Amino acid sequence: MRPRIMVVAAALLTCAGVRAADDASPSPVPSPPAAAQAPAETPAPPAAAAAQESPPPSVTVIGARDAHGILGRDVRSSANEDMGRIVDVIVDRDGKVRAAVIDFGGFLGVGSRKIVVDWNALRFAGVSSKSDSITLDLNKQQVSAAPEYKEDTPLIVLGAAGNLHPWDYEH
């Protein structure tokens, strides 16, 4: 398993190096007619050209047991009640994950509604395969009282006791 990861990492770094070399080589530009040519400019010093090159991307390898996608995952309460499925993740302007949108209630998608729960109210400890569910620190009664999520309106985020933090949504 380790040699495969090292080969993938080496391949990514090689591709990044080739890409950086391609970006550094000047592309041919047709020269304007002699009458339209401006006086020759002094070329930028090599240090300035090096500063304009972007650094190669970083590579991070995460083990298959250490990270999992969550969209479409079942959500259950601590009492093992079916709470729905995660259908979206809400982030703030800084990219920090703030909440999850859960398609809650209904039967086979009929009569369900989307509600927003605080990210800190979700527990991922038992999630090791796609069939495992995520645990929500709220019960079915609490979630059924939550208002429905509507895009492009202020979010009302349902949180477990002590975890809900208001958002400044006026910006």
Side-chain angles (χ1 to χ4, degrees), residues 53-69:
E53 291 181 26
S54 58
S58 66
V59 176
T60 302
V61 178
I62 300 172
R65 295 183 202 166
D66 296 329
H68 299 281

Side-chain angles (χ1 to χ4, degrees), residues 88 90 114 148-155:
D88 205 351
I90 305 292
K114 294 177 181 168
E148 186 172 3
Y149 164 68
K150 293 182 178 139
E151 235 176 281
D152 299 326
T153 61
L155 297 173

Side-chain angles (χ1 to χ4, degrees), residues 26-46:
S27 58
V29 178
S31 59
Q37 286 182 352
E41 294 181 23
T42 13

Side-chain angles (χ1 to χ4, degrees), residues 3-158:
R4 186 180 315 158
I5 292 171
M6 304 227 1
V7 168
V8 170
L12 288 172
L13 290 173
T14 302
C15 290
V18 169
R19 172 69 185 199
D22 288 345
D23 291 345
S25 64
S27 58
V29 178
S31 59
Q37 286 182 352
E41 294 181 23
T42 13
Q52 292 177 352
E53 291 181 26
S54 58
S58 66
V59 176
T60 302
V61 178
I62 300 172
R65 295 183 202 166
D66 296 329
H68 299 281
I70 63 163
L71 292 183
R73 286 285 184 103
D74 289 332
V75 178
R76 303 198 70 79
S77 71
S78 302
N80 205 27
E81 300 167 297
D82 180 19
M83 304 299 273
R85 291 181 182 266
I86 294 182
V87 294
D88 205 351
V89 175
I90 305 292
V91 298
D92 62 18
R93 291 178 183 209
D94 295 326
K96 180 181 173 191
V97 178
R98 298 293 305 262
V101 179
I102 297 177
D103 195 14
F104 172 77
F107 180 71
L108 298 175
V110 178
S112 64
R113 60 194 180 95
K114 294 177 181 168
I115 55 109
V116 181
V117 297
D118 185 43
W119 188 256
N120 294 318
L122 296 169
R123 302 288 166 246
F124 304 94
V127 183
S128 60
S129 73
K130 284 257 185 212
S131 62
D132 295 334
S133 60
I134 296 165
T135 304
L136 178 62
D137 287 344
L138 297 163
N139 62 40
K140 201 163 195 144
Q141 182 181 5
Q142 292 169 318
V143 173
S144 62
E148 186 172 3
Y149 164 68
K150 293 182 178 139
E151 235 176 281
D152 299 326
T153 61
L155 297 173
I156 299 175
V157 182
L158 187 64

